[in-house]
Amino acid sequence: MQKKTVGKLKAFFSVDLGTKLVIRDCKLVEGENGLFVGMPSRQYEHNGQTKWSNIVQILDKSLLEEIQDAAIKEYGYSPSQGPEPRADEEPDFPF
């Protein structure tokens, strides 16, 4: 997981479903209700507005929840304390 600590985008990651599928460029984003997973997407213009369209759509809600839970756990997020570095890595400092 590549961590990014500026703004709402918190990290990029890939999902590896064994020999069946790999999804790259997933995003962990800070929303109004906490962290959520954003699938890879493509930017386009429509009527002068910038819009985004998902390239990958997970139709199985339980699979999406499993991916989201794993990503949040890997990121080290605690709602009461915010993100914490994992024990096996150095913390990200902005300097």
Side-chain angles (χ1 to χ4, degrees), residues 55-88:
I55 296 169
V56 175
Q57 185 174 6
I58 305 289
L59 300 177
D60 182 338
K61 186 176 180 178
S62 65
L63 176 58
L64 181 58
E65 288 173 357
E66 187 178 337
I67 291 169
Q68 184 164 291
D69 291 346
I72 290 170
K73 182 178 178 182
E74 179 71 18
Y75 183 71
Y77 181 78
S78 167
S80 62
Q81 300 173 355
E84 294 181 5
R86 291 182 9 226
D88 64 338

Side-chain angles (χ1 to χ4, degrees), residues 35-54:
L35 294 172
F36 69 92
V37 168
M39 288 292 124
S41 58
R42 186 174 286 135
Q43 179 180 340
Y44 66 96
E45 295 289 323
H46 180 70
N47 293 333
Q49 294 182 337
T50 301
K51 304 232 178 197
W52 296 89
S53 175
N54 283 348

Side-chain angles (χ1 to χ4, degrees), residues 7-18:
K8 293 182 179 188
L9 178 61
K10 300 302 177 187
F12 283 102
F13 64 96
S14 295
V15 175
D16 186 342
L17 300 175

